[in-house]
Amino acid sequence: MIGSMAKKRWDGLIPYSGTRTDSESGIMDSKRYLDIMSGRRTIRDFPTRPVDIGIIRNCVATAGQAPSGANKQPWHFVVITNPETKRRIRRESENIEKRFYQQVAGKRWGDDLKPLATNWEKPFLSEAPVLIAVFLRKFEVIAGGGKAPTYYPSESVGLATGFLISALHQAGLGTLTYTPNPMGFLSDFLERPDNERPYMLVVCGYPADGAMVPDIGKKKLEEIMTLDS
Ligand code: IYR
């Protein structure tokens, strides 16, 4: 009987407790969220003004709510505020970027970066009050030293990092997603275990008064979405 089928409860499942709203407030809420997120820009100019670590804790906790393959949550976030650690990361990143800019100069990638007005100098790495190093777990180490797999870790950590920068933006903080290439030095500097690899550095702090951003826009909805009817 369909009625009793519908009532069937599977072992281990619990009632969904997320917010439910009608479509009228859904339109307003989604537009408000669109307006908030449309204001997010990558910032490269941060004053040293400190950030309440309570804000960072809430934002990393928000990142931890992201969906992940088999709910393995294959991520770890190292929150860096120590000035010496930041200086070391800056020094190594600038060495890496000098090579990067020399190699790509004149090539397609170099041309694509011109509108962003970036160069090898990375002052924000020592000036911004907080760097969040995001690590991806390729596998989990289980008791006794065995390995347990994670699933779709790149997709999962990408989702979590998206949640993170969205949360930081809503808290009034500026962010910069930064990926020095190669990034392996972060594992050494931050003494991370072998089952993790660095995924991204999220630089964050209050946007400087007068902070400037590139004059670039986002694609229109019509360009990024196809509706089937
Ligand atoms: N990592 C370099 C270059 C760079 C690459 C991309 I793709 C960007 O979107 C921006 C910069 C740097 O940070 O300068």
Side-chain angles (χ1 to χ4, degrees), residues 44 97 100-101 109 113 116 118-122 124 177-181:
R44 289 189 164 74
E97 298 294 0
F100 174 81
Y101 279 93
W109 198 349
L113 289 179
L116 305 186
T118 54
N119 62 33
W120 64 268
E121 290 174 291
K122 303 295 165 195
F124 49 77
T177 46
Y178 179 54
T179 51
N181 181 16

Side-chain angles (χ1 to χ4, degrees), residues 75-117:
W75 44 63
H76 191 83
F77 303 87
V78 180
V79 177
I80 303 154
T81 60
N82 181 294
E84 182 49 29
T85 311
K86 289 192 287 174
R87 269 196 297 274
R88 283 183 74 203
I89 291 174
R90 175 179 175 183
R91 217 175 299 131
E92 186 59 26
S93 300
E94 289 186 331
N95 285 338
I96 288 168
E97 298 294 0
K98 274 180 198 157
R99 278 196 296 276
F100 174 81
Y101 279 93
Q102 275 160 14
Q103 280 164 18
V104 301
K107 294 208 207 96
R108 185 66 171 266
W109 198 349
D111 290 343
D112 279 342
L113 289 179
K114 284 210 175 100
L116 305 186

Side-chain angles (χ1 to χ4, degrees), residues 49-69:
R49 175 183 168 194
V51 172
D52 184 335
I53 205 69
I55 301 175
I56 303 296
R57 293 175 69 88
N58 284 339
C59 294
V60 174
T62 300
Q65 305 311 306
S68 60

